[in-house]
C-alpha cells in the first residue's frame, strides 16, 4: 500500500490532529534494500516516478520494480506525469529501457546532460556482459537503449522545468558521480525533494552536494551509509598510497579493481598527483575504455553545454595524463 504523508494540525485543547496531505509515496525498490531504486510519488494529483533502477543481485522478476503496481491496466502514460532519473548507476536507471521499450511508457523522462550521455554506456555494457558473455536472456536490446534515450529530456542544474501547467521540477547538484542530481518537485502549495545518492564530502573531481533552502512537505533521501563511521578521507588516502608505493618500489605490480565510472577517475587523479609529488616514473594503465569515456564527458561538461555543472567540479581542467591515454 502507498505510504501517505500526514501533517499535524492544531486542534482544541492543545492536542495535535493528524490530517492527510495531498502527497503519497509508493516505494517499488530500495525502501529496505540497496538496489532497484524506484519511488512513485503522488503530489496534489500529479504522479512522478523517481528513478527506475534494477537490482543487480537478482536474475528473476525481482530484478525490476513491480510496474504493475503503478498501472494495473498497463496504461503507464495515463498513470504517470513524468519519470525523473537522478544519475547513471544501474540501480537507478537500469530498468528504464525495459520500462519504456517493453512495458510501453511514452511520457516525459528527465535527467541531467551528463547522465543522458553516460547512461547508455552503462546500459550497453550491462547488456553485453549479461547476454553476450553470460548467456542470460536478453531483457532489452541495443536498439531499445537508443530508442529509450531519444525520449529523454536533458535538464541543467538549477533549471526550473515546467512539466505541465501545474507540475515543476528542478535539479540540484548532488556530487556522488558526474551528472548526479537531487530533484525538487512542486505542485501548487506542496513540494518535495528526492535526493538519489549524494555526497557531502568534496573530492578531486567532484564537489559536495549543494541545494537551496527550501520549504518542503516531504524529503526522500538516500541513507545507505547513514550509520557508518569511517576514518578520515586523508587517513584512507594516505594508507592506500603508502601500500601502492611500497609495492611498486619493490618491483611489484598493483591491480586495482574499481568502478569504471567515478571511482576510477578519482583514483587516477589521486595517483597522478602523488606520482608527480614523488617524481615516480612507473606507468599507470587502464584496462577498459569505460574508464576513459567519462573523462571526455567531464571535460566537455565543464567547457560547453551544461552551464552550472562545471562550477562544482574541482579538477575539470586538470585532467591527468593517465586519464586520457590507455
Amino acid at each position: 500500500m502507498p505510504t501517505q504523508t500526514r501533517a499535524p494540525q492544531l486542534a482544541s485543547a492543545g492536542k495535535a490532529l493528524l490530517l492527510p496531505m495531498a502527497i503519497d509515496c509508493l516505494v517499488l525498490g530500495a525502501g529496505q534494500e540497496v538496489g532497484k531504486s524506484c519511488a512513485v510519488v503522488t503530489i496534489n494529483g500529479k504522479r512522478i516516478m523517481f528513478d527506475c533502477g534494477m537490482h543487480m543481485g537478482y536474475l528473476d522478476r525481482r530484478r525490476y520494480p513491480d510496474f504493475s503496481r503503478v498501472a494495473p491496466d498497463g496504461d503507464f502514460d495515463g498513470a504517470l506525469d513524468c519519470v525523473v532519473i537522478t544519475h547513471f548507476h544501474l540501480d537507478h536507471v537500469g530498468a528504464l529501457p525495459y520500462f519504456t521499450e517493453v512495458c510501453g511508457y511514452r511520457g516525459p523522462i528527465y535527467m541531467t546532460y551528463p547522465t543522458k550521455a553516460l547512461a547508455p554506456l552503462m546500459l550497453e555494457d550491462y547488456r553485453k556482459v549479461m547476454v553476450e558473455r553470460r548467456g542470460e536472456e536478453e531483457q532489452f536490446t541495443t536498439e531499445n537503449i537508443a530508442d529509450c534515450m531519444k525520449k529523454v529530456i536533458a535538464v541543467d542544474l538549477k533549471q526550473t522545468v515546467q512539466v505541465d501547467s501545474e507540475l515543476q521540477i528542478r535539479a540540484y547538484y548532488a556530487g556522488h558521480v558526474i551528472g548526479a542530481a537531487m530533484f525538487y518537485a512542486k505542485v501548487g502549495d506542496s513540494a518535495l525533494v528526492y535526493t538519489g545518492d549524494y555526497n557531502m564530502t568534496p573530492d578531486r573531481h567532484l564537489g559536495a552536494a549543494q541545494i537551496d533552502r527550501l520549504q518542503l512537505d516531504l524529503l526522500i533521501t538516500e541513507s545507505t551509509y547513514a550509520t557508518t563511521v569511517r576514518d578520515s578521507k586523508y587517513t584512507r588516502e594516505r594508507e592506500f598510497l603508502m601500500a601502492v608505493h611500497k609495492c611498486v618500489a619493490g618491483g611489484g605490480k598493483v591491480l586495482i579493481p574499481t568502478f569504471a565510472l567515478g571511482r576510477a577517475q578519482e583514483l587516477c587523479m589521486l595517483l597522478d598527483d602523488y606520482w608527480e609529488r614523488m617524481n615516480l616514473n612507473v606507468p599507470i594503465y587502464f584496462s577498459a575504455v569505460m574508464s576513459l569515456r567519462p573523462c571526455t564527458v567531464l571535460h566537455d561538461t565543464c567547457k560547453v553545454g551544461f552551464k552550472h555543472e562545471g562550477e562544482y567540479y574541482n579538477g575539470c581542467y586538470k585532467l591527468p595524463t593517465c586519464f586520457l591515454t590507455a
Side-chain angles (χ1 to χ4, degrees), residues 29-30 37-39 50-52 84-89 91-93 172-177 179-184 192-200 209 211 219-225:
S37 291
C38 185
F50 290 99
D51 281 334
C52 189
V84 171
I85 302 297
T86 58
H87 62 288
F88 59 71
H89 281 158
D91 58 329
H92 292 259
V93 73
Y172 287 96
Y173 183 73
H176 186 56
V177 292
M182 302 176 282
F183 276 88
Y184 167 81
L192 67 94
V193 162
Y194 176 90
T195 67
D197 296 341
Y198 64 98
N199 186 9
M200 294 305 299
I211 192 168
L219 171 65
I220 303 175
T221 180
E222 179 266 340
S223 58
T224 304
Y225 297 105

Side-chain angles (χ1 to χ4, degrees), residues 137-148:
E137 180 182 354
E138 189 167 59
Q139 300 294 310
F140 46 77
T141 66
T142 299
E143 291 73 22
N144 288 155
I145 296 171
D147 290 341
C148 173

Side-chain angles (χ1 to χ4, degrees), residues 184-222:
Y184 167 81
K186 183 178 181 182
V187 180
D189 58 356
S190 297
L192 67 94
V193 162
Y194 176 90
T195 67
D197 296 341
Y198 64 98
N199 186 9
M200 294 305 299
T201 304
D203 53 32
R204 283 168 175 75
H205 78 296
L206 297 173
Q210 295 186 22
I211 192 168
D212 296 335
R213 288 182 176 272
L214 301 166
Q215 188 71 37
L216 301 176
D217 297 291
L218 176 65
L219 171 65
I220 303 175
T221 180
E222 179 266 340

